[in-house]
């Protein structure tokens, strides 16, 4: 059997393993997130604290992102991903214990650990892309992001039955989703540690040799992030995450204030997460054909429209549509931005640069998670949506500026 054939077989196995583990982890993440703001408000006794655990989740994600990238460059991708899933499992277990004991502080620590696990898992899309040649990377990034669609469906659907099951055993209903998250995160860790072989880092280096490409010398992070292409890619992902987090985190509490049931809240969150992940394969296909920058522009417009629609009505159908559009706008910015960033990096720069990128995304999301509770307490969902609209318009402006600069450079080269 030829080396190329073996490589294709390995590519498929690695992609399948990453897809399955990310699907399971996505279900764990969404199941735990659905009630996070409600649990936080109940444990703390204040709506203003609703955004604290989500913010701490993002800070944990930020804190772990670069160290995990550093670890992956030295020990391999498999140990880094496996460690992340294990941290998430421990965080979910601590959250269960904290809900039972009524400890807001313990719930916050559990949120940090879960966020650290997510900081590792978010790099799975780059790990998958690493084992493919550049012209196929956008498509495989879309496929791994699409794995979140399983979580988008399974996670919210787990909330009600897992809560009832927990209550049947004498536990608080809110512990149910976190018990489910514990099991799913453990399965992700076991699958990754067992099946993600050979390590994708070794496969990626082999592809460079097969393609007879010389790997460029590694640049410093300062030089990497000084480039206009990298800046647009990171800006798209950071602002997309910020706007999405601002509105998504607080919507369950907004619905709770309007007497919606847990089932209704779950359906709205499921609609949102379907927008985030359900069309990812199509987004990857569109990115390869329409270009990364046009997809980023379309995503920023969707974020702006969603910000306008979210406070327009409190009924479930309207909120479900607005949150679906919010998720789809994030999806466009995230996949096109990830592909744009990957295209600007050499293999010797990926771990550090992608880890730094994930750190900035997590910091932006943490800021949004913390700020949305205070903004909501001050001006309800209208104020939150206005903030989201301002940032969406800013991303549109940055994208237009990038296109104008690029066109200006081209015109100078063509007298």
């Amino acid at each position: 059997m030829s080396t190329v054939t073996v490589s294709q077989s390995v590519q498929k196995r690695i992609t399948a393993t990453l897809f399955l583990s990310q699907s399971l982890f996505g279900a764990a993440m969404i199941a735990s997130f659905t009630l996070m703001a409600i649990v936080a408000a109940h444990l703390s006794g204040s709506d203003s604290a609703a955004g604290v655990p989500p913010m701490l989740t993002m800070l944990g994600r930020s804190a772990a992102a670069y160290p995990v990238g550093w670890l992956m460059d030295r020990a391999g991708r498999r140990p880094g991903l496996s460690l992340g899933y294990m941290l998430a499992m421990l965080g979910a277990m601590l959250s269960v214990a904290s809900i039972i004991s009524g400890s807001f502080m313990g719930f916050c620590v559990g949120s940090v650990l879960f966020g650290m696990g997510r900081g590792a898992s978010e790099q799975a899309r780059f790990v998958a892309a690493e084992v493919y040649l550049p012209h196929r990377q956008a498509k495989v990034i879309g496929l791994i992001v699409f794995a979140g669609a399983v979580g988008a469906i399974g996670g919210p659907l787990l909330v009600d039955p897992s809560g009832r099951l927990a209550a049947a055993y004498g536990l608080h209903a809110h512990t149910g989703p976190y018990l489910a998250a514990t099991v799913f995160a453990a399965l992700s860790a076991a699958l990754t540690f067992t099946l993600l072989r050979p390590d994708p880092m070794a496969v990626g280096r082999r592809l460079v040799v097969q393609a007879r490409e010389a790997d460029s010398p590694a640049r410093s992070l300062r030089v990497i992030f000084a480039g206009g292409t990298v800046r647009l890619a990171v800006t798209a992902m950071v602002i997309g995450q910020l706007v999405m987090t601002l509105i998504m985190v607080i919507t369950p509490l907004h619905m709770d204030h309007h007497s919606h049931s847990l089932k209704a809240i779950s359906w709205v969150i499921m609609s949102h997460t379907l927008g985030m992940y359900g069309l990812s394969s199509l987004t990857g296909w569109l990115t390869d054909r329409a270009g990364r920058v046009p997809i980023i522009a379309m995503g920023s417009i969707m974020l702006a429209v969603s910000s306008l629609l979210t406070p327009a009505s409190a009924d479930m159908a309207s909120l479900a549509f607005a949150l679906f559009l919010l998720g789809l706008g994030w999806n466009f910015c995230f996949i096109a931005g990830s592909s744009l960033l990957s295209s600007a990096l050499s293999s010797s720069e990926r771990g550090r640069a992608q880890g730094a990128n994930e750190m900035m995304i997590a910091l932006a999301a943490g800021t949004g998670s913390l700020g949305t509770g205070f903004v909501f307490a001050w001006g309800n969902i209208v104020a939150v949506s206005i903030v989201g609209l301002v940032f969406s318009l800013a991303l549109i402006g940055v994208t237009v500026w990038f296109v104008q600069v690029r066109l200006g450079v081209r015109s100078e080269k063509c007298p």
Side-chain angles (χ1 to χ4, degrees):
M1 186 176 293
S2 68
T3 304
V4 174
T5 302
V6 171
S7 178
Q8 289 174 344
S9 175
V10 168
Q11 286 173 337
K12 291 178 181 179
R13 184 169 69 251
I14 288 174
T15 303
T17 300
L18 289 170
F19 184 89
L20 183 56
S21 61
Q22 282 295 96
S23 297
L24 291 169
F25 186 76
M29 182 179 65
I30 299 300
S32 62
F33 173 81
T34 301
L35 299 183
M36 186 174 284
I38 295 174
V39 171
H42 287 176
L43 290 178
S44 66
S46 172
D47 287 350
S48 296
V52 173
M55 179 272 294
L56 291 174
T57 298
M58 297 305 172
L59 287 181
R61 174 183 170 187
S62 175
Y66 185 82
V68 166
W70 181 90
L71 175 64
M72 286 183 177
D73 274 346
R74 284 154 180 78
R77 314 315 190 205
R78 181 171 61 91
L81 289 175
S82 299
L83 175 63
Y85 294 137
M86 291 296 293
L87 288 172
M89 181 193 72
L90 293 174
M93 292 173 62
L94 181 57
S95 296
V96 171
S98 300
I99 294 171
I100 293 173
S101 63
S103 172
F104 179 68
M105 183 63 67
F107 188 70
C108 288
V109 175
S111 298
V112 171
L113 289 173
F114 204 98
M116 292 175 72
R118 187 178 176 187
S121 74
E122 289 293 335
Q123 299 188 47
R125 69 190 190 278
F126 294 119
V127 173
E130 187 173 23
V131 303
Y132 289 87
L133 294 175
H135 69 278
R136 296 186 62 190
Q137 288 181 352
K139 184 177 180 181
V140 75
I141 287 173
L143 179 64
I144 298 303
V145 175
F146 175 72
V150 177
I153 297 172
L157 291 179
L158 286 171
V159 173
D160 188 53
S162 65
R164 286 189 281 107
L165 183 62
Y169 282 91
L171 299 174
H172 195 291
H174 289 167
T175 64
Y178 291 92
L179 287 168
T182 301
V183 174
F184 279 65
L187 288 173
S188 295
L191 283 170
T192 300
F193 189 78
T194 304
L195 299 179
L196 199 64
R197 300 171 186 270
D199 195 280
M201 181 172 66
V203 177
R205 290 176 177 174
R206 189 194 311 167
L207 282 177
V208 172
V209 174
Q210 288 180 356
R212 295 180 174 84
E213 295 176 350
D215 200 13
S216 302
R219 299 169 292 174
S220 67
L221 287 179
R222 182 182 62 81
V223 173
I224 291 171
F225 284 92
T229 298
V230 171
R231 285 183 176 180
L232 176 62
V234 173
T235 299
M237 288 185 276
V238 167
I239 292 184
Q241 188 76 35
L242 175 61
V243 174
M244 186 269 290
T245 304
L246 275 168
I247 298 174
M248 177 185 67
V249 165
I250 211 64
T251 297
L253 187 59
H254 168 63
M255 294 181 69
D256 187 57
H257 282 188
H258 285 81
S259 302
H260 286 280
S261 66
L262 288 181
K263 184 175 291 187
I265 294 172
S266 297
W267 278 108
V268 169
I269 294 299
M270 183 171 69
S271 174
H272 169 67
T273 49
L274 280 173
M276 289 177 67
Y277 304 116
L279 300 177
S280 296
S281 293
L282 177 61
T283 304
W285 180 85
L286 285 173
T287 300
D288 282 336
R289 282 153 182 79
R292 301 173 180 103
V293 177
I295 297 300
I296 289 173
M298 292 173 63
S300 61
I301 293 171
M302 291 180 191
L303 293 174
V305 173
S306 175
S307 298
L308 291 170
L309 292 179
T310 298
S313 175
D315 70 88
M316 189 188 79
S318 298
L319 285 171
F321 176 73
L323 269 289
F324 173 82
L325 197 61
L326 178 71
L328 189 59
W330 171 87
N331 177 274
F332 273 42
C333 292
F334 191 71
I335 291 178
S338 297
S339 178
L340 190 62
L341 178 62
S342 294
S343 70
L345 300 174
S346 68
S347 62
S348 57
E349 300 168 343
R350 287 172 184 160
R352 294 177 300 113
Q354 291 163 358
N357 170 69
E358 293 305 316
M359 180 181 68
M360 286 185 279
I361 292 173
L363 284 173
T367 301
S369 297
L370 178 63
T372 192
F374 291 104
V375 175
F376 182 80
W378 174 73
N380 294 320
I381 196 68
V382 174
V384 174
S385 297
I386 289 174
V387 175
L389 178 62
V390 170
F391 278 102
S392 300
L393 294 175
L395 178 55
I396 293 173
V398 169
T399 307
V400 170
W401 171 82
F402 177 83
V403 172
Q404 289 178 337
V405 169
R406 188 167 64 175
L407 290 176
V409 171
R410 287 180 178 176
S411 65
E412 289 177 3
K413 292 181 178 180
C414 301

